[in-house]
Amino acid sequence: YESTDRAHQCGEAIFYRSHVKWNADVNISSSKHTFDYLVNLIEKGKPAPDKQMEDRKNYSFQSIYFDFDKDNLKQEYLPYLSKMGELIEGHSDIRIKITGHTDAKGSDQYNDGLSQRRARSIEGYFNSIGIPTHRLIFDFKGERLPAASNDNDAGRQLNRRVDFEFIYE
């Protein structure tokens, strides 16, 4: 835009569709906060808030699986975790709960520690891409919540995992 008065001010107008109802009683500091938030989204190349909400509603978590007695992330999961990190970064009102699991081989104490190490390996990856630990919540189940039977190799493989869920603040 360019003003028609003597000041000849110029600028840009950026419009986002929103379901927020505005009226004459809008608090100036609230408006400034919203403006700063939207500018920050644009600078980071993030989608509009309505699009973010749609993305979050349509997001489908998948488990991350580990080899027997291992806590290191497999390369095949890094693109998925990176995409999840983008989602976390774009939504300041959510945190991600990370729950580590194991199969039933080993003692309860050992499996609790292994499930913790698995969840913490996800934390390490998220930290490396800029997601701070305070955006994450951890739970360590060991072998207590199997996804499948521990009586065969295929079932045990499905139990060596980390699961995720949104936590809304």
Side-chain angles (χ1 to χ4, degrees):
Y1 68 87
E2 184 174 345
S3 68
T4 57
D5 62 9
R6 291 184 182 169
H8 295 289
Q9 295 178 344
C10 298
E12 294 180 13
I14 300 169
F15 295 94
Y16 274 119
R17 180 181 64 221
S18 176
H19 299 296
V20 175
K21 295 189 189 293
W22 294 87
N23 61 41
D25 298 328
V26 171
N27 179 321
I28 296 298
S29 65
S30 173
S31 295
K32 173 73 171 125
H33 172 75
T34 301
F35 175 79
D36 291 344
Y37 172 72
L38 292 174
V39 168
N40 188 30
L41 288 178
I42 292 166
E43 288 173 347
K44 290 183 174 183
K46 301 295 179 196
D50 283 3
K51 176 73 170 116
Q52 288 182 1
M53 190 62 97
E54 180 183 324
D55 291 346
R56 189 165 63 190
K57 282 182 186 176
N58 294 328
Y59 194 81
S60 177
F61 287 110
Q62 69 180 47
S63 296
I64 302 295
Y65 295 98
F66 293 82
D67 290 330
F68 175 71
D69 201 26
K70 302 289 184 196
D71 59 25
N72 54 313
L73 286 174
K74 296 178 182 180
Q75 292 292 316
E76 67 192 79
Y77 295 115
L78 299 184
Y80 171 74
L81 291 170
S82 178
K83 187 92 171 148
M84 188 189 309
E86 289 175 16
L87 184 76
I88 298 167
E89 186 178 52
H91 294 81
S92 62
D93 63 332
I94 62 170
R95 295 168 73 187
I96 297 292
K97 182 176 181 182
I98 301 169
T99 304
H101 302 273
T102 67
D103 62 25
K105 296 238 180 217
S107 70
D108 288 346
Q109 182 178 359
Y110 182 81
N111 285 337
D112 286 345
L114 181 57
S115 69
Q116 181 174 356
R117 290 192 305 276
R118 287 176 175 165
R120 293 294 182 186
S121 71
I122 305 292
E123 173 190 23
Y125 178 76
F126 280 148
N127 289 169
S128 77
I129 62 170
I131 305 298
T133 298
H134 75 269
R135 301 288 309 277
L136 311 172
I137 297 172
F138 301 95
D139 193 11
F140 319 112
K141 297 295 185 190
E143 63 186 74
R144 288 183 293 283
L145 288 176
S149 171
N150 276 298
D151 294 335
N152 57 61
D153 289 339
R156 284 188 292 274
Q157 176 57 61
L158 293 174
N159 293 331
R160 297 188 291 260
R161 71 192 190 283
V162 168
D163 294 325
F164 305 92
E165 68 179 282
F166 289 129
I167 302 296
Y168 298 94
E169 297 182 328

